Amino acid sequence: MITSKNPYNGEEIAQIKEFDQADINKALDLADNTFKTWRETSYKHRSELMMKAATELKENKQEYARMITLEMGKPISQSISEIEKCAWVCEYYAENAEKHLENEIIETDADTSYVSYEPIGVVLAVMPWNYPFWQVFRFAAPALMAGNIGVLKHASNVMQSAENIQKVFERAGFPKGCFQNLPISSSKVEGILRDKRVKAATLTGSKPAGSSVASIAGEEIKKTVLELGGSNALVIFKDANIEEAVKTCVQARFQNTGQSCIAGKRLIVHEDIADSFIKKFKEQVSELKSGDPSEEDTFIGVLSREDLAEDLEKQVNDSVKQGAKIVLGGKRKGTYFEPTIISNVNKEMPIFKEETFGPAISITTFKDDEEAVSLVNYSDFGLGVSIFTEDVERAKRLVPMFDDGAVFVNELVKSDPRLPFGGTKISGYGRELSADGIREFVNRKTVYFNSY
């Protein structure tokens, strides 16, 4: 049995029966058989169902959001926003999938030559707990619209949200087997990956999990897309609009109680404005309301598990031992970690070098553009970077210098269905969302016609 617990109060929410091998085989048989008919359906038919899924999400967002909050502690207002964003990605692909996958005519010596985009079959999604709906829907919406089938191995602490995701597609009228939740432990992932009925895999999670899935899939010569950790920098240049930058950086770091791959985790501030920036930043962070995640005005909830709070506590304490200074917060109680600001941080400290998954942010200063770029790129991660400057030409000049998969100017890094999303270095490979995302799990088939 898999136990679901409320991280805020420790109460048990549910016991979920884990699939045995017979259950897994039955689910994969259903998925494989459903693919044979689903791939033949029209884009119009798929689009109608996907729009119904969007409607289902919007009409029952309170139901789905409540379970997110109960299972992993996300403040309820943010859980509702997550469900609404899932509806958006469903609508986006319902409206754009056919255009993204239409035949691409290529002029050659042939009478006609083109590239077609065809579904590949059953795709396994291994997903994390921090955005239990969004991470899944940004895979599922394009995968199903492309004619593929989805099977989900979700994190063990959000198994009821996983069941709810399957329920969304069933309520929307998708054929049984189009999308299935597999309540299993991580130990059973390898067997599913190696199963011939499964053609590819996508994973959002940690580097060790991504490395494991990629190596197994590599042995089987199966396509993977990995969206792994991040340690995004927020770079504040001397000419930045400090008032607006502070507001954006608070949101970038502390939404979802800091439990986000794309959160801004390293504040890199020009030394001439550091004191004034830190003062204003501290004031706004101090005003964030912590408390019961089920209350509408709570902004900072709890971490999803106590061991994660302990990990963050160690990163903070070890950095302080090396000379960092706590400007705000720094204390833990169970799964709750105070919103924390740490200054005097250098690039060798854990809070700079490692991914911090919780409401703590480091501050490092720089002298010039070259040093700022060097500090950003020093990280092993490469998901995204935000830069804050009023100088458009500087921004354009600096964009190519960053190693990351995304650069946002005067804005926090965020995922948008219309834009490709993914990282470099140990943040993973492949892209989700936009046309790039829907083309990750298709057969790009070259077609060449000649007449005699």
Side-chain angles (χ1 to χ4, degrees), residues 68-85:
I68 292 174
T69 295
L70 285 174
E71 285 195 306
M72 55 74 61
K74 189 192 301 286
I76 186 65
S77 61
Q78 296 172 38
S79 295
I80 292 170
S81 295
E82 180 175 343
I83 300 300
E84 291 171 342
K85 191 170 185 179

Side-chain angles (χ1 to χ4, degrees), residues 271-381:
E271 61 184 12
D272 289 355
I273 60 167
D275 289 344
S276 60
F277 185 92
I278 292 171
K279 181 182 177 181
K280 290 179 169 58
F281 189 70
K282 179 183 177 181
E283 289 172 355
Q284 290 200 20
V285 174
S286 299
E287 294 171 358
L288 300 176
K289 183 181 182 298
S290 298
D292 186 343
S294 66
E295 295 180 359
E296 291 286 343
D297 61 344
T298 294
F299 190 86
I300 299 291
V302 293
L303 273 69
S304 181
R305 302 191 311 266
E306 188 165 357
D307 64 297
L308 300 173
E310 291 170 346
D311 289 344
L312 182 60
E313 182 179 42
K314 185 177 187 305
Q315 289 171 314
V316 169
N317 290 342
D318 287 351
S319 297
V320 170
K321 288 176 184 176
Q322 294 177 30
K325 295 179 181 179
I326 294 179
V327 176
L328 181 71
K331 295 179 181 177
R332 177 185 71 85
K333 184 178 181 180
T335 54
Y336 173 70
F337 202 96
E338 294 178 326
T340 298
I341 303 170
I342 303 172
S343 67
N344 202 36
V345 172
N346 66 52
K347 63 185 182 181
E348 299 304 327
M349 293 177 180
I351 200 161
F352 188 97
K353 289 179 68 175
E354 302 171 3
E355 180 177 27
T356 51
F357 223 65
I361 190 164
S362 67
I363 300 178
T364 306
T365 60
F366 68 92
K367 291 182 174 63
D368 53 33
D369 292 4
E370 183 179 0
E371 185 180 11
V373 171
S374 176
L375 286 167
V376 172
N377 290 341
Y378 186 78
S379 175
D380 291 333
F381 298 94

Side-chain angles (χ1 to χ4, degrees), residues 139-372:
F139 150 74
L144 295 183
M145 283 302 303
N148 291 315
I149 300 295
V151 292
L152 170 66
K153 189 283 176 213
H154 220 324
S156 59
N157 59 333
V158 290
M159 282 293 172
Q160 289 195 106
S161 290
E163 290 181 0
N164 280 343
I165 293 169
Q166 180 174 326
K167 187 187 298 183
V168 169
F169 289 112
E170 290 175 347
R171 285 179 172 178
F174 280 81
K176 189 175 181 181
C178 258
F179 185 92
Q180 295 179 82
N181 170 48
L182 308 179
I184 57 171
S185 63
S186 297
S187 63
K188 293 177 179 173
V189 169
E190 179 172 353
I192 295 171
L193 266 174
R194 294 191 187 279
D195 193 292
K196 291 183 178 180
R197 291 166 290 190
V198 174
K199 306 304 181 186
T202 181
L203 177 141
T204 299
S206 67
K207 179 191 172 186
S211 179
S212 175
V213 164
S215 62
I216 295 166
E219 289 179 8
E220 301 294 328
I221 318 298
K222 293 181 180 179
K223 173 73 177 289
T224 54
V225 169
L226 303 181
E227 196 270 278
L228 308 179
S231 188
N232 289 7
L234 302 160
V235 187
I236 317 298
F237 289 94
K238 188 176 179 179
D239 67 334
N241 182 322
I242 293 182
E243 297 291 339
E244 292 301 321
V246 166
K247 287 193 294 184
T248 302
C249 289
V250 170
Q251 185 73 16
R253 183 61 192 113
F254 295 100
Q255 64 179 339
N256 200 26
T257 316
Q259 299 171 111
S260 172
C261 296
I262 58 171
K265 294 163 186 170
R266 298 176 295 144
L267 256 174
I268 299 174
V269 187
H270 193 279
E271 61 184 12
D272 289 355
I273 60 167
D275 289 344
S276 60
F277 185 92
I278 292 171
K279 181 182 177 181
K280 290 179 169 58
F281 189 70
K282 179 183 177 181
E283 289 172 355
Q284 290 200 20
V285 174
S286 299
E287 294 171 358
L288 300 176
K289 183 181 182 298
S290 298
D292 186 343
S294 66
E295 295 180 359
E296 291 286 343
D297 61 344
T298 294
F299 190 86
I300 299 291
V302 293
L303 273 69
S304 181
R305 302 191 311 266
E306 188 165 357
D307 64 297
L308 300 173
E310 291 170 346
D311 289 344
L312 182 60
E313 182 179 42
K314 185 177 187 305
Q315 289 171 314
V316 169
N317 290 342
D318 287 351
S319 297
V320 170
K321 288 176 184 176
Q322 294 177 30
K325 295 179 181 179
I326 294 179
V327 176
L328 181 71
K331 295 179 181 177
R332 177 185 71 85
K333 184 178 181 180
T335 54
Y336 173 70
F337 202 96
E338 294 178 326
T340 298
I341 303 170
I342 303 172
S343 67
N344 202 36
V345 172
N346 66 52
K347 63 185 182 181
E348 299 304 327
M349 293 177 180
I351 200 161
F352 188 97
K353 289 179 68 175
E354 302 171 3
E355 180 177 27
T356 51
F357 223 65
I361 190 164
S362 67
I363 300 178
T364 306
T365 60
F366 68 92
K367 291 182 174 63
D368 53 33
D369 292 4
E370 183 179 0
E371 185 180 11

Side-chain angles (χ1 to χ4, degrees), residues 12-149:
E12 184 176 304
I13 301 170
Q15 291 274 340
I16 297 95
K17 180 182 179 297
E18 184 174 354
F19 273 14
D20 58 23
Q21 192 56 50
D23 295 323
I24 293 171
N25 279 329
K26 183 179 179 182
L28 293 182
D29 271 341
L30 176 58
D32 193 41
N33 288 328
T34 302
F35 173 63
K36 295 169 186 174
T37 53
W38 179 246
R39 68 177 301 171
E40 300 299 329
T41 57
S42 66
Y43 284 112
K44 181 176 183 296
H45 177 64
R46 296 175 207 164
S47 177
E48 289 170 351
L49 294 179
M50 195 60 70
M51 290 299 283
K52 288 179 181 178
T55 299
E56 166 64 24
L57 286 163
K58 288 188 286 189
E59 290 183 348
N60 293 295
K61 61 185 177 183
Q62 293 286 347
E63 171 192 346
Y64 298 129
R66 177 180 174 275
M67 186 53 67
I68 292 174
T69 295
L70 285 174
E71 285 195 306
M72 55 74 61
K74 189 192 301 286
I76 186 65
S77 61
Q78 296 172 38
S79 295
I80 292 170
S81 295
E82 180 175 343
I83 300 300
E84 291 171 342
K85 191 170 185 179
C86 292
W88 179 23
V89 80
C90 289
E91 291 167 346
Y92 173 81
Y93 280 109
E95 294 167 355
N96 292 285
E98 184 173 10
K99 178 177 64 179
H100 289 332
L101 298 178
E102 64 185 358
N103 291 345
E104 182 181 353
I105 304 297
I106 309 291
E107 294 296 331
T108 67
D109 295 336
D111 290 343
T112 304
S113 52
Y114 60 89
V115 177
S116 65
Y117 299 92
E118 301 175 4
I120 59 173
V122 181
V123 182
L124 170 66
V126 181
M127 292 291 145
W129 48 264
N130 59 328
Y131 286 88
F133 262 64
W134 171 245
Q135 308 279 19
V136 177
F137 270 89
R138 73 183 188 192
F139 150 74
L144 295 183
M145 283 302 303
N148 291 315
I149 300 295

